[in-house]
Amino acid sequence: MSEKSRTITWTDPLPQAAAARTMSGVDYLRAILKGEIPGAPIAAHLGMGFVSVEPGDVVFTAVPDESHYNPIGSVHGGFYATLLDSVCGCAVHSTLPAGQAYTSLEIKVSFLRPITVDTGPVTAHGWVTKPGSRAAFAEGDIRDAGGRLLATASSACAVFPV
């Protein structure tokens, strides 16, 4: 048995959370994409980063590693669920004006294929299917570098003033 370790570094999320309340969602997420605002700490855990941000449409990439494994030797479903919850939530966030926030109400994930270290980087795409001022709905998927579908999700988010 060989022991491994991983060091995770992140920035205090509270200052950027305050900034998020003063910016439209799309402007806030684009500032993260450009490196002007630090990303969420969860991104460091999953090796997750933005690829693109458009109103109602967000793309991330993430790099699975052995620290994401479950006891049977593949990536834990929590990796899929966290990545899909993040990309669906950010797609919703990208439609919100300044002073509005969201939280996930529900997410349904369908696991279609296993992810392992050999899968390599994956791409998650989230898109809004119905924006709203009180509730918004999004869908998402995860694909490997060859475009093979690995998982899908549907999500409902509550929208509220901050």
Side-chain angles (χ1 to χ4, degrees), residues 18-65:
R21 293 189 274 284
T22 66
M23 303 171 72
S24 72
V26 73
D27 288 342
Y28 179 72
L29 296 174
R30 285 178 175 162
I32 294 172
L33 171 68
K34 293 176 188 172
E36 298 167 354
I37 294 175
I42 190 68
H45 291 281
L46 297 188
M48 182 168 57
F50 283 99
V51 173
S52 65
V53 175
E54 296 299 329
D57 194 282
V58 174
V59 178
F60 287 3
T61 114
V63 181
D65 66 36

Side-chain angles (χ1 to χ4, degrees), residues 132-145:
S133 60
R134 296 187 61 160
F137 301 86
E139 293 184 1
D141 64 32
I142 301 174
R143 295 177 184 266
D144 66 13

Side-chain angles (χ1 to χ4, degrees), residues 64 69 73-76 79-80 113-117 119-120 122 142 150:
Y69 272 28
S74 62
V75 170
H76 189 278
F79 177 92
Y80 296 75
R113 289 189 170 84
I115 296 175
T116 67
V117 170
T119 304
V122 297
I142 301 174
L150 305 173

Side-chain angles (χ1 to χ4, degrees), residues 2-157:
S2 64
E3 188 172 300
K4 297 180 180 184
S5 67
R6 180 174 181 215
T7 301
I8 300 170
T9 306
W10 67 90
T11 303
D12 179 0
L14 296 180
Q16 64 257 29
R21 293 189 274 284
T22 66
M23 303 171 72
S24 72
V26 73
D27 288 342
Y28 179 72
L29 296 174
R30 285 178 175 162
I32 294 172
L33 171 68
K34 293 176 188 172
E36 298 167 354
I37 294 175
I42 190 68
H45 291 281
L46 297 188
M48 182 168 57
F50 283 99
V51 173
S52 65
V53 175
E54 296 299 329
D57 194 282
V58 174
V59 178
F60 287 3
T61 114
V63 181
D65 66 36
E66 290 172 338
S67 71
H68 303 129
Y69 272 28
N70 59 30
I72 60 170
S74 62
V75 170
H76 189 278
F79 177 92
Y80 296 75
T82 302
L83 184 55
L84 287 163
D85 183 54
S86 298
V87 79
C88 288
C90 285
V92 167
H93 191 188
S94 72
T95 67
L96 301 180
Q100 292 286 304
Y102 75 94
T103 190
S104 298
L105 288 173
E106 177 179 74
I107 186 164
K108 178 194 179 293
V109 177
S110 295
F111 305 96
L112 306 176
R113 289 189 170 84
I115 296 175
T116 67
V117 170
D118 294 335
T119 304
V122 297
T123 301
H125 179 204
W127 59 95
V128 172
T129 57
K130 184 187 178 306
S133 60
R134 296 187 61 160
F137 301 86
E139 293 184 1
D141 64 32
I142 301 174
R143 295 177 184 266
D144 66 13
R148 200 167 58 145
L149 189 61
L150 305 173
T152 61
S154 59
S155 175
C157 294

